[in-house]
Amino acid sequence: MAQCKQSAPEFIQNTFSPHVAVLCSKDAEVLCQKNNLTFAQLVQPFCRLGTEVHIKDPNNVSHSIHNLRISTCDMSATPPQQATTKKMLGDAVAGSQLQTGDGGRGAGNMMSVGNYDLQLHASTPWFEAYRECFLDVIALSDHEYLSHCVGCIFVASSGQSDPIATFTSLTNQQLQQQQQFPNKVPRWFCPGILTYYVLLHDVSDGELPRAEAYYQSMKTTFGSQCCHLLQINSRSLQTVENMKPEASLPDPWSQFLPKPPEVQEGVEYDGLPLQDDASFPSHLSEARLTSTIPDLENSMIETTPDVISDKISSVHSSSLTDLNETNTSNNELLMDHPLAFHSTETQAQVEESSIAHDGDATAAANGYQDGKSAGSAAGQEKSKLRVHGVCLTTSDMDRLRIFMHEFVVRSLIPWAEKQMRMLNEQLTSRKGIHRSIFSATKKWFGTNKPSGPVQASQNTSVVYTSEAPELQLRRLADLAFLFQMYDYAYHTYHTAKRDFNNDHAWLHFAGALEMASLSIFMLGSQSQRQYPHHYMESAITTYLTTCRNFQYAIRATLVSTEALKCRGMYGEAAMQFLKMTNEVGDSDLSSALFLEQGAHCFINMKTPMVRKYAFHMILAGHRFNKAGQRKHSLRAYSQALQVFKSKYWSLAEDHIHFTIGRQSFNLKQLENASSAFKHLLMAESKQPASQQGAFLREYLFVYKQLLTQEAGENCSYGRLPELPLPNINSNTTKVLLGKQQPQIPENPRKTPATGVWFDHDESRNMSWQKLEERLVISANGGSLPNTFRSTLQCFTNNTENRASPIAFVGEHIVVEVQVEDPLQVTLVLSDVMLLWSFLPSIAGADKPQLISNEVSTGVKNNLADEIIQTTVIKEVVLEGGQTAPIRLTLVPRQPGELRVVGLAYNLGTTSSQSQSSSPLPGDMPSSTASPSILGSQKPTFISSVYVRGKQKLEVQGPRLNASKDDKTSKLYGPDRRLDLTVHEEMPILEVSFCDFPDSLLCGEVHCIEMEVRNTGRSPLHQLKVTSTHPDFFTFGCSQDLPKYPYVYQTRSVDSDISNPIDSCSVRSVPDVIDIPIEGNILRPGDTRSLPMWLRGNDIGGVHEVDFLFYYEPLNTQAKDKDSVRHRVLRHRAVVNTVESLSVRAMVTKPSACVSGSDRQELKSCIISCELENLSQVQVQRPHIQEVQVTQVSCASQDWVVNSLSISDQKDVRIGSRHILQLALKGTKCETDGNLMFSEVFFDMQKQINSVQTPCCDFYFRSPACRQISSATGDATLLPIPSYRSAPTQPDFSSVNKAREVKLTLIILWKAFVAQENGQLKILVGQHHVCIERVDTVVTAYPLVQSNQDQPPLKFIRDVEPETEPQPSPEVTTKLVSYSFLHQLDSTHDFNKGLCIVPVTLKLQNHTNTSVDILVDTSKSSDRFGTASSPSPPQFSPGSPTPPVMSCSFSWVGPTLANLTLAPGADQQLQLKAAFCRPGVYNCNNLAVFVTYADADPSEMILQKHSTPSIITLSA
């Protein structure tokens, strides 16, 4: 709360103090003027008594008077003209501003209310100045005597020849004025006022004995109690001229004197109706009401038309230049609604005024800084005040103090006591007669006084004579109040109140109510009565409504609110202030002050009303603005902003910022104005597009003037200012090293390597890093260097940016900046470029100089362009709410350290014609950006305003979260993506592919041509490539390669060899391929082409294949640790594979045969293949009509494949959705460890050599082959080091041999594809089927395993018993095969007995270890729950009876047989079967148990043999 300098009792006591007139002779005035003072001004600082004095009331009761103050006025002084009263009030308010220290950020000024932290002013000196000035100029009235002079001091000089005559002349002059001109100022308290005579003696020039003689004569003539000899000017003028400036005494008179006009020159105030500001390019349209409202100050005083016309003409001649704006009537004002803005100064006033303003701590708290006027120094020179009291010494001041004390004690108080006794006696004697006579008169004759409330024109109907008892009673009460006899005054006022109320003298009644209320308040704790607040309310209401006397209503409000605030009744005080605002609404200055004080009352209530405080401060600021008080309007709005700021009151906050901006601009505080308008350009703005456009134009206009002003003052020469628009999120900035996005090539057949662009998938960075590690390990002999750091070309917010990116001389650096237009209006950015600083790497002792392209001088710009080539975008148009990337390019020309510091551009707006034709920034390259095409019309003033500025790019690193301190405090790591290190030139590899397909058939083999080129200025070598899909491509591994565009190598047709067999060594396929180029060096500008074969994936769909090319500069300096050892180039191919051919195969082995002795059952197998054409015929779309199987090759170290057909198979074709069954015979053969390729041809005219590229290459690169190689230890992939010794696993290879086959079928095919135009296209390809075990169906494509259900999570692990690993049951149940040899048909007479049939059991060991066999004829294999024998068939009733296959027979002879078979050996066992009746029998009705060397001998494994052996017996 703003506190006043005086407390409420002090203010009331000073307001209602005894007034004494002063009348001086001319000689006395001359003596006083030596001190630049009048006599009334000379004694003013000493008019307050410092000691306690006593006075007696008419009842002879003594009262103490404390701090009595006497108000002196010069009787001869001319009162101020009534026409200037309004200006005096305005100047008093405008001249009282907060100093820099006032309202600072001290602890007493801070107030926390809920979520609000408010910085309030400690005082409101402008309100106190207004109050003091208002009480001085208020017109005197006959209804009270508080401001009437109780006495007159006559002053004469001792240097005169006859002072007694002078005193007599002055007394006659006073009597003449009092009797002949009673209404002239000053007015007198009563006819018999106090007269006091002062003889003024000049000590330096006068003769003291002569003065004492005159003084004795005065005491004889006028009485000793009414005379005083006052000696002054002990210091002569000559002594004053020789004195040092610091030797002068303090100046106690300055606080009582009005400020000279020189000090008020800088006051921002005028009394004219406010005009729109023509300096702004646009004006916001807001509703206005036009009304005719008289000013309060004009209603207080009478203003002559001549004075008004002179005043208006003088102001117009000095400030206004546009005469068209003065056509409105003087008594018509534009009344805005409370949240409307009204401009206060024209363009000419803005340009010509030089404003000296004081600091405002509230504005600083809201983010605004005070600007400085250029004319402030000149104003300080004019504000030098004249020195007062230069001829007075300390003794002279003591004499003045003694003089005032003697005047009060010896003259004034005795006179007051005498007057009160006399008035009391008169009232006592007249009261009885007055009441008796007038009561009878009223009863019989009535009265013409109104019986109820009267109108304003009737409030003077009751006229009292000066000697009326009612007025005498009022004189007595006023005299008692002036001399602090408040209890006596209250009773007297209360008595007078009843009389005035009975007489309907409402003005007198209101005055009595007012003073009675104040009397109770001044009694304080001595009074037993409550403060009669309702008395004051009634008085104010009567002043306003009945009497229409606004002056005394305002005075009553001023004193009443102080009393209420002193009692803590802030709510009632606020209501009184607001009531005066509503009643006296035509006075903008008074209303503004009252609204402001009401706001302070709201904030100081027991429960502070913060929002009411802010709202009324806004209303106060609005009325200050209309009153021409721009500084106070700015201060009030700044105070309210503290409440509305960042509290989602967006529209109110916008209004406050806009008003602050306008007022700051009018006050030449351009920095504050631009800061205020800057807050209007926020993303959260809820203003319509038209309003936002107006805000933007205001900001550009003001900010451009600020820049012009700073340029004139040479502030920060050459540096660009920071702009608020558009929004730039620095953390989303991306930096790309390398060339720009590849354009469409001139040759449409060529596909350049994709490289890296801003839209690349950052989630695959880890995959690229693994590929690079693979390449570096291959290039460094199998080890990864400790200094290895993966290559990053695109640095974003998701990458590791602790180290500075490394760029190279002559290569592009592309920076992508995301810009957002938060408004709904179009922004135009022109001449957009990057700002950078560069520190060159220069060898030598001298420290290099930092170079920047921000300083806008021609010479430095040319030098900067030679060092760093900077691309400029001519124009970027951002629509409202749009977010778009701007990509700018830098090309360094020498090594050093480059830092991107910001973005420079021209910010402007466009007219409506140009908005529709402006291109968007989108993804356009910075080098080819073209400006927007403006309309053909001439651009308007608004559209031509633009500001050149910048925005900084400051990237914040990731939040640290490693240690406890990092987690508890907000610490961020470094992010150096914008701090680049530029190295010397490096080779640059470009790769392009000729006829790279977008779509392939599954398994299709396609030949393309790859072209590599070195576009750098240094040679490269060690060219390598790796991929995420090594089976997708190959370069060949022999010198004799097919010529592009042929795919396969064919062999010469030889009729003698139907099934050729070729052998080759088993190849280890590396993941890293050396690209075969001549000399292994690629010189600058050289280009090499080589064939490349691609094979479509076995699974249909869209596949992304990543290639990473690796190369090293030839002249790398090994000693330089910071040098780049290698470079990489990325390429991502997207290939769509279409299903073509499905291949399923299975190998079966024949059972043991007794007739053969060469073990053919171990050396042969049957390969069953099922081929299906998965394509479907589609009309007007490409499809496979048919697939021709041209050749089947087998790649194995143990097996060769042959055809089972005796005749040649030719033209094997599969139609759409058809299936082909193909059976081949496999034969085992002995080899020397090489891989054998056996082939079965179905196209004898074109036999493909499977051993050559690319057929064998894709075989070796197939996932199945790589898996087999990895299992056998032939893979070149580096093993993962293990730090824990694994337990030794038992070797079951000898047992697993029973089921292993290990062969791969390569099905070569030719597809006839019907294209959209109806033509046929022949495509070739191959499928691989890897068969490892017998009786297992294998497909050419990998099977996708279904996700198994995860077991429930257990917090306690179950203890599982440790079991030794065992071979698979599938293997152990088929270690030995067996077969039965017996006659198929036999006839026997069962009447003669049983039929005994001899059966030979042949056993064959398929393993590489010896086995022990137990044959048990007493047990059947079906007894063990196996599926070796078929389950009995189920029949339904009524169905025909099938033939019975019985197993009910018995083996005769030994029931158990033990034998041992060596690895691969066979043995026969003779058995006999006995049958008791005819039928069909299955002889496979025994159990064979096997155990091998490494197994537990006590555990025998039952062998599975499901093949039946049928015998038919007939009778």
Side-chain angles (χ1 to χ4, degrees), residues 603-770:
I603 201 64
N604 272 269
M605 296 178 67
K606 186 175 181 180
T607 302
M609 297 183 176
V610 182
R611 287 192 292 270
K612 275 194 174 183
Y613 162 77
F615 179 71
H616 288 87
M617 286 300 291
I618 291 178
L619 296 179
H622 177 68
R623 301 301 288 269
F624 272 130
N625 177 50
K626 295 183 67 176
Q629 302 287 341
R630 297 191 184 99
K631 289 184 180 180
H632 290 294
S633 176
L634 175 61
R635 175 189 48 76
Y637 274 99
S638 300
Q639 286 282 342
L641 182 60
Q642 298 180 92
V643 177
F644 289 102
K645 189 175 183 180
S646 303
K647 292 297 185 296
Y648 305 104
W649 295 70
S650 59
L651 296 180
E653 189 176 354
D654 288 348
H655 167 77
I656 296 173
H657 282 300
F658 181 78
T659 308
I660 290 176
R662 276 288 182 90
Q663 297 291 13
S664 300
F665 178 81
N666 291 332
L667 295 173
K668 291 296 182 66
Q669 302 177 16
L670 299 181
E671 188 174 355
N672 283 358
S674 63
S675 179
F677 285 123
K678 179 179 178 180
H679 283 83
L680 298 172
L681 310 176
M682 297 299 176
E684 298 80 9
S685 175
K686 293 182 174 57
Q687 298 286 354
S690 59
Q691 198 79 358
Q692 291 182 358
F695 287 160
L696 179 59
R697 291 189 292 270
E698 297 272 0
Y699 171 76
L700 293 177
F701 179 80
V702 172
Y703 201 63
K704 193 165 187 178
Q705 289 204 357
L706 174 62
L707 296 181
T708 304
Q709 174 181 319
E710 291 180 349
E713 297 175 357
N714 295 326
C715 295
S716 62
Y717 173 73
R719 296 293 177 181
L720 294 176
E722 293 192 33
L723 299 177
L725 292 176
N727 289 349
I728 296 179
N729 186 359
S730 298
N731 275 15
T732 61
T733 303
K734 300 181 180 180
V735 178
L736 179 68
L737 305 179
K739 285 196 172 181
Q740 300 182 15
Q741 186 179 15
Q743 304 295 323
I744 300 177
E746 298 178 358
N747 187 355
R749 295 179 56 191
K750 287 188 177 182
T751 302
T754 57
V756 182
W757 193 239
F758 292 104
D759 56 356
H760 77 289
D761 187 4
E762 295 187 38
S763 62
R764 300 178 64 93
N765 282 346
M766 187 58 65
S767 175
W768 289 109
Q769 180 178 347
K770 291 181 179 179

Side-chain angles (χ1 to χ4, degrees), residues 146-166:
L146 293 169
S147 299
H148 293 198
C149 293
V150 297
C152 183
I153 300 177
F154 302 100
V155 184
S157 173
S158 63
Q160 295 179 352
S161 59
D162 189 2
I164 303 299
T166 304

Side-chain angles (χ1 to χ4, degrees), residues 983-1205:
H983 287 190
E984 293 288 352
E985 293 178 333
M986 291 282 282
I988 304 174
L989 177 67
E990 287 187 359
V991 178
S992 59
F993 304 91
C994 184
D995 297 331
F996 198 95
D998 295 332
S999 178
L1000 291 173
L1001 297 178
C1002 290
E1004 176 190 350
V1005 179
H1006 187 81
C1007 183
I1008 65 172
E1009 187 177 30
M1010 187 181 74
E1011 182 180 283
V1012 294
R1013 182 183 180 187
N1014 183 4
T1015 59
R1017 298 185 179 181
S1018 59
L1020 62 88
H1021 69 139
Q1022 292 287 339
L1023 187 57
K1024 301 174 183 290
V1025 65
T1026 189
S1027 174
T1028 54
H1029 296 71
D1031 58 333
F1032 178 70
F1033 70 100
T1034 182
F1035 292 105
C1037 54
S1038 62
Q1039 297 296 330
D1040 189 12
L1041 297 177
K1043 301 299 183 183
Y1044 173 78
Y1046 296 102
V1047 178
Y1048 288 110
Q1049 291 189 16
T1050 59
R1051 65 172 72 239
S1052 59
V1053 179
D1054 190 350
S1055 58
D1056 296 337
I1057 304 176
S1058 59
N1059 295 323
I1061 299 175
D1062 297 325
S1063 65
C1064 69
S1065 60
V1066 179
R1067 301 176 188 173
S1068 60
V1069 180
D1071 291 329
V1072 177
I1073 301 176
D1074 293 330
I1075 299 179
I1077 58 176
E1078 184 180 354
N1080 199 25
I1081 296 177
L1082 198 61
R1083 301 289 178 182
D1086 288 355
T1087 303
R1088 297 288 187 270
S1089 300
L1090 63 156
M1092 182 179 182
W1093 287 269
L1094 310 178
R1095 179 179 176 275
N1097 199 290
D1098 292 321
I1099 302 177
V1102 178
H1103 302 275
E1104 294 181 349
V1105 183
D1106 293 339
F1107 294 89
L1108 188 63
F1109 295 89
Y1110 171 96
Y1111 60 98
E1112 298 179 0
L1114 188 61
N1115 53 355
T1116 303
Q1117 298 179 4
K1119 296 182 181 180
D1120 190 358
K1121 296 181 180 180
D1122 296 332
S1123 62
V1124 178
R1125 305 299 180 88
H1126 70 276
R1127 305 193 72 182
V1128 294
L1129 174 64
R1130 298 182 185 180
H1131 175 65
R1132 170 167 294 176
V1134 180
V1135 180
N1136 182 25
T1137 56
V1138 182
E1139 293 181 342
S1140 57
L1141 189 65
S1142 173
V1143 181
R1144 292 181 294 275
M1146 184 178 67
V1147 173
T1148 59
K1149 286 188 178 182
S1151 301
C1153 181
V1154 178
S1155 60
S1157 60
D1158 55 354
R1159 303 179 181 177
Q1160 288 297 323
E1161 64 276 7
L1162 298 179
K1163 297 183 179 180
S1164 63
C1165 63
I1166 302 300
I1167 305 173
S1168 301
C1169 297
E1170 182 182 281
L1171 293 84
E1172 181 182 0
N1173 183 359
L1174 299 178
S1175 178
Q1176 187 174 359
V1177 176
Q1178 299 180 4
V1179 181
Q1180 295 181 352
R1181 294 186 64 183
H1183 63 276
I1184 301 175
Q1185 286 188 347
E1186 59 181 5
V1187 175
Q1188 177 182 353
V1189 181
T1190 60
Q1191 180 176 320
V1192 176
S1193 300
C1194 176
S1196 176
Q1197 292 180 335
D1198 300 322
W1199 299 86
V1200 295
V1201 68
N1202 298 288
S1203 176
L1204 291 177
S1205 176

Side-chain angles (χ1 to χ4, degrees), residues 19-20 53 58 67 73 515 646 710 744 761 764 899 1057 1062 1285 1332 1337 1402:
H19 285 64
V20 177
V53 295
N67 298 324
C73 59
M515 299 311 298
S646 303
E710 291 180 349
I744 300 177
D761 187 4
R764 300 178 64 93
R899 181 172 188 179
I1057 304 176
D1062 297 325
S1285 59
E1332 297 184 11
V1337 178
K1402 184 177 180 181

